[in-house]
Amino acid sequence: MFLKLKKGTTEEGIKHIIDKIKELGFEAHLSRGANSTIIGIIGENVLKTKDIFESMFMVESCTPISKPYKLVSKEFNDKKVVIKLSHNVEIGNKKIAVIAGPCSIDNIDYLYETASSVKQCGATLLRGGAFKPRTSPYSFQGLGLEGLKMLKKVGDDCKMPIVTEAMNLEQAKLIADYADIIQVGARNSQNFDLLKELGKIGRPVLLKRGIAMTISEFLMSAEYIASKGNYNIILCERGIRTFETSTRFTLDLNAVPVLNSLTNLPVIVDPSHGTGVRSYVMPMSRASIAAGADGLIVEVHPKPECALSDGSQTLYADKFNEYMSEVKKIALAMDREI
Ligand code: PEP
Ligand code: MN
């Protein structure tokens, strides 16, 4: 349920309402918009207290939220969340955010080559895995802290915010000291303890959709993060598992307009994992932007055949300009910038 406060409600009035919410055993989430102040009340059986809040003179209206996710629903807040990052990069505004880089960080030379090439072509954020969630325990597991340090150094030198994945609480705390955005991978997107911790850490989170996750479940995962006070969440459609075998996953582009209709969070697409095939990455990137995505995350490497993971879906760093110019055509047609 959320309360819309009357214009001119004082700080004291706001505090009084929040104290009352807490006294009744609920959580209060304050949102100050340009035109109105809203307080979300979260908890079980919250609707039973509607009369109490409705009768408060500072309260203009008291509205139940019909969806199981509350704080990330458009019903609670329909103002688009814009994630503000270092180097003046934003995600969720008119400009399409392109996050590019290797699946796994392998060495600093390749990382520099990738970062400078994608940056020159218009990508604004650098991705790279240091802690890798691999299906096989015998596959390369990532360089860990050493990789994280390389990513930070290259990101700083190339003036790009960095994105990397945390698979557990310990890694999340470590990564928060280095990365601008902490990625939660598809395999961990219902690791609720991790999500709650990321809510407390407060660093922006790139939340991937699980491979067998409904959109409602996806938003509930985002709600876990928001419920701890962190609203800086980027949702990423990265393909779901279906009966189809000609691509690695089935990129569910329906998710883009569906999410855009349900939440104010930025929505991006990962056509690299969504297809698993290099030649399909560009067409599906174009389709993602046409469907209304706010950004793309793509795997890029100077020598994909030498990459330590996901080489077959990885774009060539020296051909990234062709990729960007194709994506740009659609972005401009959609009245977006890139
Ligand atoms: C990745 O981005 O490298 C990755 C492992 O993604 P996902 O969790 O979507 O498989
Ligand atoms: Mn990968």
Side-chain angles (χ1 to χ4, degrees), residues 102-104 127 132 248 270 272-273 299 309-310 313-314:
C103 177
S104 311
R127 64 150 286 153
K132 292 302 302 177
R248 187 176 176 190
D270 172 352
S272 302
H273 293 88
E299 292 183 337
S309 55
D310 289 350
Q313 66 193 33
T314 297

Side-chain angles (χ1 to χ4, degrees), residues 192-231:
F192 302 120
D193 283 342
L194 178 60
L195 299 174
K196 282 188 271 185
E197 187 63 30
L198 290 167
K200 288 187 215 149
I201 289 175
R203 187 120 324 234
V205 177
L206 193 166
L207 178 65
K208 292 227 177 163
R209 181 180 181 183
I211 61 176
M213 209 186 218
T214 64
I215 289 175
S216 177
E217 288 164 344
F218 190 16
L219 288 166
M220 290 304 284
S221 285
E223 183 81 7
Y224 262 97
I225 303 169
S227 72
K228 297 291 169 200
N230 184 0
Y231 304 96

